[in-house]
Every structure is written in C-alpha cells, then in structure tokens.
Amino acid sequence: MTTFMEDLLDIKEDLTFTVSEIFKIPPENINANRINDGNMNYVFKFCSDEIKNSMIIKKSVNYIPCLGKNYYLSSDRILVEIEFYNFLNKHLQMFSPKIFKYSKLNKFIIMEYLHEHETLTRLSLKTDHINFGKIGQFLAHMIFLTQDKYGKSKLMGHQQKIFQDNNLKNLHIDYIFNYPYEEHETNNYGLHLVKEVELIQNNKYLLDEIKKLKVKYINDTESLIHGDFHLGSVMSNLNDSIKIIDHEFCCFGPSSFDIGVFIAHIIVILVVPGQDRLKVLEFLNDFWNGFKDQFSILEDNLKTSSELQQYFDKLWFESIKFCGCEIMRRIIGASNFPVFNFTDIKMDESELLLIKFGQDLVQNTKSYQLPLDLVNGVKF
C-alpha cells in the first residue's frame, strides 16, 4: 500500500498533466500547491504565466483524507458536488464560483481561484463587515426552490436521484448522531472532558432527544440541504460577494439542519479572545432576519402571515436543537470547530463551556427564543 505522501505526489502530478492537456500549457510551466488539509478531498491551487487567473482543482479519492486510507469512502461524492454546482449556476449563479471543467469519470472539478475572498472562518475573526443577511437569503432561496410541497421543485430528475442517494448522509448519521454519544475510536476529546462526556453518554433524556433529531434527519426530506454549512463553507470579500463551496454532503433533509449548524459556528466565535459579543449578536440577527425576510417574499400569496410565523417558530426551535447537537459532536467527535485552528483560545475552559451549552440547547430549547438568548447563554 502506498503512503499518504506518495498518494499526494501522484495526485499532484496527475492533476498537473490534466491542467496541461485542458489548457494547452507545458506541465513544466505549471505551479501546483496544496492549499489546505481538507477533511474530505484534496484541493490544489494551480497557476501559470500562460493563464490569466489561478485555478482550484478539487479531487475526490476513495478514502477520507483526514482519517487515513483505512477509512473507505466512495469517490463518487464529487458527483454530488458537480450537480449542486450545476443547480447553483442555473438558479443562484451569484453564489457560485466559476466552474471551468469537471470530470465525472476522473472525479475532479476545476474552478476559479477566489483570490479576493476568504472563508468566514477567518474573515469573521478580523472584521464585522460580513453580509450575513445575504447568507440567510441564500438558504431561503435554496429551500424554496427545492421543496416539493407545491410540486415546483427546480431540480431535474437525475439531480433529485443523486441528492437522494448521497451515501455521505449515512456518514453524517454516524459522526453526528451516533459516535459522539458512545465510546468510539474516532472520538477526539481531552482528559478535561472525560467526566462531562460520560454524563452525556448516560443522559437518557438527552440521548432520546438526539435520537429524535437523527430520525428527523433521516426521514424528513423537506428540501435540499447543503449538509455541511459552516463558516468554512462560505467565502466572502469586502464587497459582499458571497460564494458557497464544499457541497459533497448535499442531500434532501430538514431545512432546520443547515440553519442550526451555521448558527453553531457563529456562536463559537464568542469563546475566541478579543471577540465582541455585540458583533456575534449582529451576525446572528442579520443571518436569521435575512432568511426570514427573503423566505417571506418568496412565499408571498402561498402562506398567510400567521402561517409564516408558525413556520418560522417551528423552524427556529428545530434549528436550535440541531445547533446544540452540532456543538456537542464537534467537541466530542472526530472533527473540531475549524475556527479553533486559527485562534489562541483556552481549549479546556472553552470546550467545557460549549459542551454544557450544547446540552442545554437540546434539552431546554424553549429557553432560547431569540438570537440574544443564544449570546446570553454562553456565560464565561
């Protein structure tokens, strides 16, 4: 069996020749660099004096890079991402990077390098000038365009099948709803959390609530969901250009899942030293109000104001439960919050605070009526 580094070099060489053939550039004139330590795929930046702009190539392989070659995962996940980009470019083009080329056979996507953009994981720590309302609008559009209850879904038949059959949904079921609540080899938490995790894994009421969320995630096919919608899946520049990336977990599911996961990653900013609580509150308010305002416009003449309010109330509380679940699984499970990689936080104190907060969100959901309640709930 080849080593990780040998695989990495082989992939880099293969993709360099791919770029050479597609764009008619000698391979020796192409510079390729891996730009991240992606959890699910390999991502490279390619540049050359012979092309105007740099490009990104995303390549899927038949294992999970962040866990190692022993963790098999079909490389067909890139097909889901390809179809999601096709959907975006047809209906919500402003939120998609330019796609230059893709291969369903060789499992790669070539897209523009967003050199003026940064992920919100980084950007949210540096500025309060982020249009979170626009991100809420994106989710409102995606939910409205893909819900089936009016028989007006904009998805084509083959797209519906690909999203419906996405086997990464099973991966989420394990890593979000199962493994963190049992002893499992992929869980990754420190000694300071051992007692708290033991309490969680023996809390019957909490486990019953998590099971209900799992059943909802499995059975509720309300709309298309991104499936991994956190700050690292959204890129922005200072001109309010928003691009949505990393769609391999896209599937049909409860609309509240994406909203809850995204809220969880905004809340975590609160434990980063030097971050302003009012800034985080503004992020949350802008995101939720942007979603509600846009969805209300789209649903005009389809729901009464009373029906809309009932819908938003139900959606909010479902989202808060998924938010709590996301916080706990990130602290206990295989993949921690990405923002922790870019900050100097007191891990022991912050993780214990967050894991207790996550439990409360799931168990005492009705106590969190507004974004302000969420911010006030994270007590130092």
Side-chain angles (χ1 to χ4, degrees), residues 66-223:
C66 69
L67 295 178
K69 298 183 71 173
N70 291 330
Y71 289 86
Y72 172 80
L73 188 65
S74 171
S75 58
D76 284 348
R77 61 188 179 275
I78 200 79
L79 305 182
V80 174
E81 187 152 14
I82 288 169
E83 288 305 333
F84 193 89
Y85 276 124
N86 287 337
F87 167 76
L88 277 189
N89 277 290
K90 185 173 182 180
H91 299 288
L92 295 166
Q93 190 174 34
M94 66 185 296
F95 293 105
S96 176
K98 292 179 182 177
I99 306 300
F100 297 126
K101 186 81 173 179
Y102 60 78
S103 172
K104 295 183 178 181
L105 177 64
N106 296 311
K107 312 297 172 58
F108 68 77
I109 303 173
I110 304 178
M111 66 188 81
E112 68 173 318
Y113 175 60
L114 299 167
H115 65 282
E116 293 182 349
H117 292 65
E118 289 187 86
T119 66
L120 297 198
T121 306
R122 294 174 180 267
L123 203 59
S124 61
L125 301 177
K126 299 191 294 187
T127 180
D128 57 1
H129 185 77
I130 301 173
N131 194 337
F132 276 90
K134 196 171 182 179
I135 301 166
Q137 291 168 14
F138 162 75
L139 280 185
H141 277 288
M142 185 173 73
I143 291 169
F144 181 80
L145 289 171
T146 61
Q147 58 187 353
D148 252 343
K149 60 184 175 180
Y150 301 123
K152 295 181 179 179
S153 173
K154 299 298 183 182
L155 293 169
M156 292 182 285
H158 75 281
Q159 290 177 325
Q160 290 191 14
K161 180 169 175 53
I162 285 175
F163 297 138
Q164 184 176 337
D165 294 344
N166 188 356
N167 60 14
L168 288 195
K169 189 167 185 176
N170 293 326
L171 194 73
H172 258 180
I173 291 167
D174 282 333
Y175 282 89
I176 296 178
F177 302 105
N178 290 337
Y179 295 161
Y181 306 101
E182 61 189 45
E183 290 188 17
H184 194 269
E185 62 181 357
T186 61
N187 287 342
N188 184 24
Y189 56 90
L191 292 175
H192 60 288
L193 293 176
V194 169
K195 289 184 178 179
E196 194 65 32
V197 172
E198 185 178 351
L199 289 173
I200 288 172
Q201 293 176 347
N202 288 282
N203 183 335
K204 186 178 184 307
Y205 177 74
L206 177 65
L207 296 181
D208 285 345
E209 290 298 302
I210 296 297
K211 185 176 180 179
K212 291 176 187 176
L213 290 174
K214 179 172 73 171
V215 170
K216 184 171 186 62
Y217 179 76
I218 293 171
N219 295 330
D220 191 335
T221 57
E222 178 182 3
S223 68

Side-chain angles (χ1 to χ4, degrees), residues 100-357:
F100 297 126
K101 186 81 173 179
Y102 60 78
S103 172
K104 295 183 178 181
L105 177 64
N106 296 311
K107 312 297 172 58
F108 68 77
I109 303 173
I110 304 178
M111 66 188 81
E112 68 173 318
Y113 175 60
L114 299 167
H115 65 282
E116 293 182 349
H117 292 65
E118 289 187 86
T119 66
L120 297 198
T121 306
R122 294 174 180 267
L123 203 59
S124 61
L125 301 177
K126 299 191 294 187
T127 180
D128 57 1
H129 185 77
I130 301 173
N131 194 337
F132 276 90
K134 196 171 182 179
I135 301 166
Q137 291 168 14
F138 162 75
L139 280 185
H141 277 288
M142 185 173 73
I143 291 169
F144 181 80
L145 289 171
T146 61
Q147 58 187 353
D148 252 343
K149 60 184 175 180
Y150 301 123
K152 295 181 179 179
S153 173
K154 299 298 183 182
L155 293 169
M156 292 182 285
H158 75 281
Q159 290 177 325
Q160 290 191 14
K161 180 169 175 53
I162 285 175
F163 297 138
Q164 184 176 337
D165 294 344
N166 188 356
N167 60 14
L168 288 195
K169 189 167 185 176
N170 293 326
L171 194 73
H172 258 180
I173 291 167
D174 282 333
Y175 282 89
I176 296 178
F177 302 105
N178 290 337
Y179 295 161
Y181 306 101
E182 61 189 45
E183 290 188 17
H184 194 269
E185 62 181 357
T186 61
N187 287 342
N188 184 24
Y189 56 90
L191 292 175
H192 60 288
L193 293 176
V194 169
K195 289 184 178 179
E196 194 65 32
V197 172
E198 185 178 351
L199 289 173
I200 288 172
Q201 293 176 347
N202 288 282
N203 183 335
K204 186 178 184 307
Y205 177 74
L206 177 65
L207 296 181
D208 285 345
E209 290 298 302
I210 296 297
K211 185 176 180 179
K212 291 176 187 176
L213 290 174
K214 179 172 73 171
V215 170
K216 184 171 186 62
Y217 179 76
I218 293 171
N219 295 330
D220 191 335
T221 57
E222 178 182 3
S223 68
L224 200 63
I225 60 174
H226 180 282
D228 195 27
F229 198 64
H230 57 79
L231 298 178
S233 302
V234 182
M235 301 187 74
S236 178
N237 63 16
L238 296 181
N239 294 319
D240 288 345
S241 169
I242 300 290
K243 304 295 183 183
I244 313 298
I245 60 173
D246 295 343
H247 311 289
E248 57 263 66
F249 281 97
C250 181
C251 61
F252 288 104
S255 305
S256 52
F257 182 80
D258 276 351
I259 296 172
V261 168
F262 196 70
I263 287 174
H265 288 256
I266 297 176
I267 289 172
V268 170
I269 299 171
L270 288 168
V271 304
V272 177
Q275 294 301 309
D276 184 359
R277 296 175 76 86
L278 290 178
K279 180 180 86 169
V280 175
L281 177 59
E282 184 177 352
F283 287 170
L284 289 168
N285 277 325
D286 288 351
F287 170 67
W288 180 237
N289 290 333
F291 172 83
K292 288 196 301 178
D293 291 347
Q294 185 61 60
F295 198 81
S296 297
I297 293 170
L298 294 169
E299 288 275 357
D300 188 33
N301 297 325
L302 297 174
K303 279 189 174 78
T304 66
S305 58
S306 175
E307 288 172 333
L308 268 175
Q309 189 56 54
Q310 289 177 10
Y311 170 79
F312 290 138
D313 288 345
K314 180 174 181 291
L315 186 67
W316 172 260
F317 289 121
E318 286 179 1
S319 299
I320 296 309
K321 285 188 179 292
F322 279 120
C323 174
C325 187
E326 172 72 0
I327 290 173
M328 286 187 287
R329 78 97 171 182
R330 287 282 182 174
I331 301 298
I332 299 172
S335 181
N336 212 324
F337 283 101
V339 73
F340 287 176
N341 297 325
F342 304 107
T343 57
D344 183 22
I345 68 170
K346 298 177 181 177
M347 291 294 288
D348 290 12
E349 179 182 336
S350 298
E351 287 187 326
L352 187 58
L353 181 152
L354 287 170
I355 203 171
K356 288 179 178 291
F357 180 58

